[in-house]
């Protein structure tokens, strides 16, 4: 700025000078940005899963294969003694009274539930027998029957389901005894099963006798 006699002050720059400077700056800026292209893609993050699996993901997959879902079913399917249509199933745990087992063998207990294994595969029967006995304990069913068939139509004459059942039932702690059924209930194509009392029934008996 410059002073004049009389004390008045005037700016050394004019409005036109300021405008010229601003225009020059704008032209310089446009020159610098001439090679810049506008982004056409939407302003969104790409959240698509990568096509290539990471090493960590592959390791988790291998771990899942090496440690399959645990099978809680204790019934096994190996080393089964082959039985024929007319073989009689007969088994009881130590401590079962003779009179109790005799009534089971003669079919004198009411049949409270039944499981039919006809047309099942061995694996399907394995699953259903395990679940059936568990349900019997849960609902307090003591005397039940399992229909396994005689296998008379098998070319080798082996009753597959019957053979496996004879091995499975003793493997279940809740099974106290079993015996092939009377003719009126299916004969050697079915088996009576005695199931232990559940905890609820035991508690009820204690309450009854205690009172």
């Amino acid at each position: 700025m410059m002073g004049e006699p009389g004390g008045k002050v005037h700016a050394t720059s004019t409005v036109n000078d300021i405008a010229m400077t601003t225009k020059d700056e704008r032209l310089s800026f446009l020159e610098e940005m001439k090679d810049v292209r506008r982004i056409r893609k939407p302003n969104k993050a790409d959240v698509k899963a990568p096509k290539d699996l990471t090493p960590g993901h592959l390791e988790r997959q291998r771990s899942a294969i090496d440690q399959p879902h645990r099978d809680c079913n204790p019934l096994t399917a190996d080393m089964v003694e082959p039985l024929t249509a007319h073989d009689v199933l007969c088994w009881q745990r130590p401590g079962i009274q003779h009179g109790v087992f005799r009534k089971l063998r003669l079919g004198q207990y009411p049949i409270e539930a039944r499981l039919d294994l006809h047309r099942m595969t061995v694996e399907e029967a394995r699953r259903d027998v395990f679940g059936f006995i568990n349900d019997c304990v849960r609902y307090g069913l003591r005397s039940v029957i399992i229909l396994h068939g005689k296998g008379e139509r098998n070319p080798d004459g082996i009753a597959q389901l019957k053979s496996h059942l004879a091995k499975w039932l003793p493997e279940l702690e809740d099974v106290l005894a079993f015996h092939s059924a009377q003719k009126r209930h299916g004969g050697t194509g079915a088996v009576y099963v005695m199931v232990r009392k559940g905890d609820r029934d035991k508690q009820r008996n204690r309450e009854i006798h205690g009172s």
Side-chain angles (χ1 to χ4, degrees), residues 80-203:
V80 175
E81 180 183 354
L83 300 177
T84 63
H86 302 291
D87 287 328
V88 175
L89 302 184
C90 179
W91 180 87
Q92 65 185 104
R93 290 195 185 279
I96 300 299
Q97 296 178 1
H98 174 74
V100 171
F101 186 70
R102 181 176 181 274
K103 288 185 67 174
L104 177 72
R105 176 174 60 84
L106 296 177
Q108 294 179 352
Y109 287 114
I111 296 176
E112 299 175 297
R114 67 180 63 232
L115 173 65
D116 191 346
L117 303 180
H118 285 94
R119 291 188 170 85
M120 287 190 185
T121 64
V122 170
E123 181 57 31
E124 289 171 340
R126 172 181 173 271
R127 179 196 63 213
D128 281 17
V129 168
F130 179 60
F132 177 68
I133 297 300
N134 284 340
D135 287 342
C136 289
V137 175
R138 183 179 301 113
Y139 296 109
L141 306 176
R142 303 290 315 284
S143 178
V144 300
I145 190 171
I146 298 178
L147 311 177
H148 48 72
K150 297 181 179 180
E152 291 177 315
R153 297 181 181 179
N154 294 340
D156 56 4
I158 302 301
Q160 289 290 342
L161 295 181
K162 179 180 182 178
S163 301
H164 282 84
L165 197 60
K167 185 176 188 299
W168 289 341
L169 292 177
E171 293 178 343
L172 295 172
E173 294 182 356
D174 294 324
V175 173
L176 300 179
F178 60 85
H179 196 284
S180 289
Q182 294 294 309
K183 189 174 181 180
R184 65 182 184 277
H185 291 143
T188 54
V191 60
Y192 301 129
V193 181
M194 177 172 290
V195 182
R196 75 169 178 86
K197 291 181 180 179
D199 294 336
R200 184 175 57 183
D201 290 332
K202 290 180 180 178
Q203 179 62 29

